[in-house]
Amino acid sequence: MTPLQRYIAEEIATDHLDGLLSRREALRRLGLLGIGAAAAAALIAACGETEEPAPGSASGAAPESASKTTQPPGAEGALPTTEVTWTGPRGELRGAWAAAPEPRGAVLVIHENKGLTDHIRSVAGRFAGIGYSALAIDLLSAQGGTAAFSDPAAATAALSRIEPPEFTADLNSGIEEVQRRVPGRKVAAIGFCMGGGLVWRLLAAGAPALAAAVPFYGPAPDAPDFAGSRNAAVLAFYGALDQRVNGGEPVVRAALEKAGVVHELVTEPDANHAFFNDTGDRYQPAAAADAWRRIQDWFARYLA
């Protein structure tokens, strides 16, 4: 099992333990990853042994106060996206493009392990609404695009089979496409969940073209070296209840300090994994709003 497959498998197991997936559905999704019933049951049991319930909660899920009654941050000014394609290193790449009328900078948006969803498209539109043209890349382009998968779990399984060098090549192509569309402006990369982990991998592979990077609750790569990405000012977000991912925070902090990269690592209180995704069960409005405010301040300092 690759590190990415392990990460996705543990996420499925944790979703089950937090009551977000039935055991039957968790086993089905793990099966799509190629994990047999016995191994899946052992994985769920192991994740259960390491889970630490959140204060006042038996499951560690987000507090009930995480209401979805208000608009997510930035939604009120979001601009529409259009479907675009360009030539990547392995063929045609797809994405959703949102153009700011007078861009102060530009952003490559990297999706979660569900592929290019409407939520991720909306994130690109929100950035355009505050003056940063944004391209949300579809990392399933070589498989026909996210829309080719009627089962979101099958899209996740397909993403788990992509090798890290292929992700990095496609992401670098996405950065080049953003530069082509917004010439003369600085570029940032932002990613969520699996996409947050890919931001860390992009930085570890060397991303001199990035002026800023914002990984949200992304798993840390093994022994990262960020020396090739000193130009990127890193603003990273974690949820205090997300113990599974938070274990990698000291790893990236030490690597950032060693490489001399400007950085700030923020742990949002009372927030769990995926707290920024307003379409998910762990959405935490207060944490999402705080993160959005911090991103705008960070981009004003390092991207505009």
Side-chain angles (χ1 to χ4, degrees):
M1 189 184 302
T2 68
L4 177 58
Q5 288 171 328
R6 179 79 185 182
Y7 168 76
I8 291 174
E10 289 176 348
E11 183 164 279
I12 292 169
T14 301
D15 283 351
H16 165 62
L17 292 166
D18 282 355
L20 306 182
L21 293 176
S22 68
R23 186 176 182 86
R24 179 190 295 271
E25 178 61 16
L27 292 174
R28 184 185 78 85
R29 295 188 184 194
L30 291 169
L32 290 173
L33 298 180
I35 301 173
L43 175 66
I44 290 172
C47 288
E49 290 171 359
T50 57
E51 280 283 289
E52 295 184 12
S57 169
S59 67
E64 291 183 6
S65 60
S67 164
K68 300 180 184 179
T69 58
T70 59
Q71 279 192 310
E76 65 282 355
L79 297 179
T81 63
T82 57
E83 300 303 305
V84 296
T85 62
W86 69 98
T87 301
R90 297 181 293 139
E92 182 179 84
L93 284 170
R94 308 177 183 206
W97 171 248
E102 297 181 6
R104 295 186 286 163
V107 184
L108 179 69
V109 183
I110 309 173
H111 57 67
E112 302 166 318
N113 63 28
K114 298 177 179 63
L116 180 54
T117 61
D118 287 342
H119 163 66
I120 294 298
R121 290 186 180 89
S122 81
V123 172
R126 293 182 222 176
F127 279 117
I130 60 171
Y132 300 97
S133 294
L135 174 64
I137 190 171
D138 189 341
L139 292 171
L140 285 168
S141 295
Q143 289 75 24
T146 300
F149 295 85
S150 58
D151 179 3
T156 299
L159 283 165
S160 78
R161 291 189 284 270
I162 299 174
E163 294 295 328
E166 296 176 2
F167 279 133
T168 300
D170 287 348
L171 293 173
N172 279 319
S173 178
I175 292 171
E176 292 170 0
E177 179 65 12
V178 170
Q179 291 175 313
R180 186 187 70 80
R181 290 175 175 272
V182 192
R185 297 298 182 185
K186 294 179 181 178
V187 178
I190 184 170
F192 304 88
C193 180
M194 180 197 80
L198 290 177
V199 172
W200 289 125
R201 286 188 176 275
L202 190 60
L203 293 171
L210 291 180
V214 185
F216 270 79
Y217 28 79
D222 293 334
D225 179 356
F226 299 132
S229 300
R230 289 193 180 95
N231 295 334
V234 176
L235 175 64
F237 289 97
Y238 297 87
L241 310 181
D242 186 10
Q243 296 303 315
R244 183 174 62 95
V245 171
N246 292 354
E249 193 262 15
V251 174
V252 294
R253 182 185 294 275
L256 290 167
E257 291 174 353
K258 181 178 180 181
V261 176
V262 173
H263 65 278
E264 182 177 348
L265 307 184
V266 179
T267 299
E268 295 287 353
D270 301 321
N272 209 326
H273 191 69
F275 69 75
F276 194 82
N277 187 339
D278 55 280
T279 68
D281 294 302
R282 294 193 178 103
Y283 177 55
Q284 223 291 355
D290 181 66
W292 186 248
R293 176 187 61 79
R294 290 175 183 269
I295 291 169
Q296 291 181 79
D297 291 344
W298 198 259
F299 281 3
R301 191 182 315 170
Y302 298 106
L303 193 62

